[in-house]
Amino acid sequence: MKITAIKVIVASPGRNFVTVKIMTDQGLYGIGDATVNGREMAVVAYLQEHVIPILIGKDAARIEDIWQYLYKGAYWRRGPITMAAISGVDIALWDIKAKAANMPLYQILGGASRDKVMIYQHVGGLTIEQTVEGVIAKREAGHVAIRAQVSIPGLPPIYGTGPSTDQAAGGMVQALPVEEVWSTHKYLPLVPKLFQKLRDAVGWDVHLLHDTHHRLTPIETARLGKDLEPYRLFWLEDPVPAELQESFRLIRQHTTTPIAVGEVFNTIWDCQQLISEQLIDYIRVTSVHAGGVTGLRRIFDFAAIYHVRSACHGPMDVSPVAMGANVHVDRWLPNFGIQEYSGYTEATHEMFPHSWQQEGGFLVTGEAIGHGVDIDEKVAARHPYKAAYLPVARAEDGTMWSW
Ligand code: KDG
Ligand code: MG
């Protein structure tokens, strides 16, 4: 089955998405997600200039060989742009393979290990009271796992706690990134207070999560992890930038609060030490950034040996196509942990008709063949690309901060 053409579709139905559509000489096509939030057009150029021309005429059935050809063959390995391009192609090729087999993707991966996959959604508030109210509402809507964030009193809202930075609300569409203000000193004592109030309000029969967006040092994380132990979090996410994987040893020596890392990782090498030394509990790689279904399968199988579970990244900027690939992997994967699902705008659902569905606090794959997600190109044409950035963070004295 030969690849005859590959299209790259860029559209913004509330968020910018880069979608790869691979056509074959047998009439089957597949679609993949290649979005990198805030750097979308770099992936488009990489695909158009360096990937598409070398794939025309190749056998679409040889997924592994094409993955290796794009990874090893480029000489310049890894990195978010290269790996998003590989991911887009890989997800589309798995879609084609499952369609050719006339099966849903989870079936060709090995069949279902579960019927539905647990998700978590986000609640943010400007105050602890607002966050508590939001968590109660999610709980009442049937959610069994909820991520809770709160603004730092006296500082402007930070990412995930106020409406200002959401592209769907217009916040991210501007010439320059929003500059947020960060204070570790004010943040550290605040978070245990939030979770104490949350446990008082919603009890213990719900999973509570928290995301630190890479802003702490290992010893600060150790302190926070200890202070949060009484509230039994499902996890503390991205406490420290993970470039220095061994720095997580220090965190592990001090706290039993579970740790989740990896939404910015692209390959198994980014998490090899974190996993093999059992320094984390959940690995957050996602199909669109870590090499597609092929990349995820390799990382998650490796993680299984070390009791590390999956937790695919799934914010609004991971498109419904990658979400479809993730949910099929989640359904098959023996060491599945949880799936992030932030939801999408109505226009996004319309642009990507999908067989996966939300049922309360869970996602189900549906039984459509392939990964079950398509793209309506007429709808896409109505939502042109708009340059948009994630915010950046600075300390109160102006120093650039990680996030
Ligand atoms: O594009 C990156 C954001 O979506 C990311 O920062 C959100 O941290 C995030 C998360 O856990 O979803
Ligand atoms: Mg995160």
Side-chain angles (χ1 to χ4, degrees), residues 147 211 213 237-238 263 284:
R147 188 189 89 169
D211 191 348
H213 294 298
E237 174 182 337
D238 285 343
E263 65 182 51
R284 307 239 317 112

Side-chain angles (χ1 to χ4, degrees), residues 37 147 159 211 213 237 263 284 313 315 317 340 390 403:
N37 193 5
R147 188 189 89 169
Y159 186 77
D211 191 348
H213 294 298
E237 174 182 337
E263 65 182 51
R284 307 239 317 112
H313 191 213
D317 47 280
E340 183 182 18
L390 281 161
W403 88 268

Side-chain angles (χ1 to χ4, degrees), residues 17 77 148 194 248 258 263:
F17 294 116
R77 295 183 186 198
L194 168 66
F248 282 72
E263 65 182 51

Side-chain angles (χ1 to χ4, degrees), residues 311-322:
C312 288
H313 191 213
M316 271 191 173
D317 47 280
V318 164
S319 95
V321 181

Side-chain angles (χ1 to χ4, degrees), residues 53-328:
I54 61 175
L55 291 185
I56 303 302
K58 290 243 173 328
D59 182 355
R62 298 182 63 167
I63 300 176
E64 186 66 49
D65 185 63
I66 288 176
W67 197 100
Q68 301 291 340
Y69 181 69
L70 295 175
Y71 182 84
K72 294 179 179 162
Y75 186 69
W76 311 106
R77 295 183 186 198
R78 307 165 63 182
I81 305 303
T82 304
M83 294 308 294
I86 294 178
S87 302
V89 169
D90 185 87
I91 295 168
L93 292 177
W94 277 99
D95 191 23
I96 291 170
K97 191 173 277 298
K99 283 175 176 169
N102 203 27
M103 287 182 188
L105 177 57
Y106 77 85
Q107 288 289 9
I108 62 168
L109 289 169
S113 296
R114 60 194 55 75
D115 298 330
K116 54 185 185 175
V117 305
M118 179 169 69
I119 56 168
Y120 72 92
Q121 292 205 320
H122 305 175
V123 170
L126 299 177
T127 61
I128 288 182
E129 290 66 35
Q130 265 188 18
T131 304
V132 171
E133 276 171 31
V135 170
I136 291 171
K138 283 265 177 231
R139 191 76 186 106
E140 284 168 0
H143 285 274
V144 292
I146 302 160
R147 188 189 89 169
Q149 309 291 129
V150 69
S151 283
I152 299 173
L155 297 183
I158 47 172
Y159 186 77
T161 65
S164 64
T165 57
D166 189 340
Q167 185 181 349
M172 282 175 63
V173 184
Q174 51 197 1
L176 294 172
V178 172
E179 301 216 347
E180 297 186 343
V181 186
W182 176 252
S183 165
T184 301
H185 164 73
K186 292 176 182 160
Y187 166 82
L188 282 179
L190 177 69
V191 184
K193 285 186 198 142
L194 168 66
F195 282 91
Q196 181 184 8
K197 293 277 185 208
L198 282 171
R199 282 299 178 207
D200 290 346
V202 295
W204 297 87
D205 190 24
V206 56
H207 298 306
L208 297 176
L209 300 74
H210 185 70
D211 191 348
T212 323
H213 294 298
H214 307 110
R215 287 174 179 145
L216 304 180
T217 64
I219 199 68
E220 288 162 353
T221 305
R223 162 54 57 209
L224 181 60
K226 271 188 164 183
D227 290 348
L228 288 172
E229 277 172 23
Y231 312 111
R232 300 285 167 100
L233 265 61
F234 188 86
W235 78 38
L236 182 62
E237 174 182 337
D238 285 343
V240 176
E243 285 98 324
L244 185 65
Q245 295 184 35
E246 68 198 45
S247 72
F248 282 72
R249 282 190 203 134
L250 190 145
I251 301 170
R252 284 305 231 200
Q253 281 158 18
H254 292 285
T255 180
T256 55
T257 294
I259 304 291
V261 176
E263 65 182 51
V264 300
F265 293 173
N266 314 123
T267 72
I268 199 164
W269 304 107
D270 299 324
C271 42
Q272 185 255 339
Q273 189 178 9
L274 289 172
I275 291 172
S276 63
E277 290 191 28
Q278 301 178 62
L279 302 178
I280 58 172
D281 301 280
Y282 295 91
I283 180 69
R284 307 239 317 112
V285 287
T286 198
S287 56
V288 53
H289 299 135
V293 173
T294 301
L296 280 194
R297 197 171 58 160
R298 191 154 293 139
I299 294 169
F300 290 155
D301 270 345
F302 175 63
I305 305 172
Y306 299 98
H307 304 288
V308 175
R309 295 207 176 109
S310 75
C312 288
H313 191 213
M316 271 191 173
D317 47 280
V318 164
S319 95
V321 181
M323 188 61 66
N326 288 347
V327 174
H328 279 267

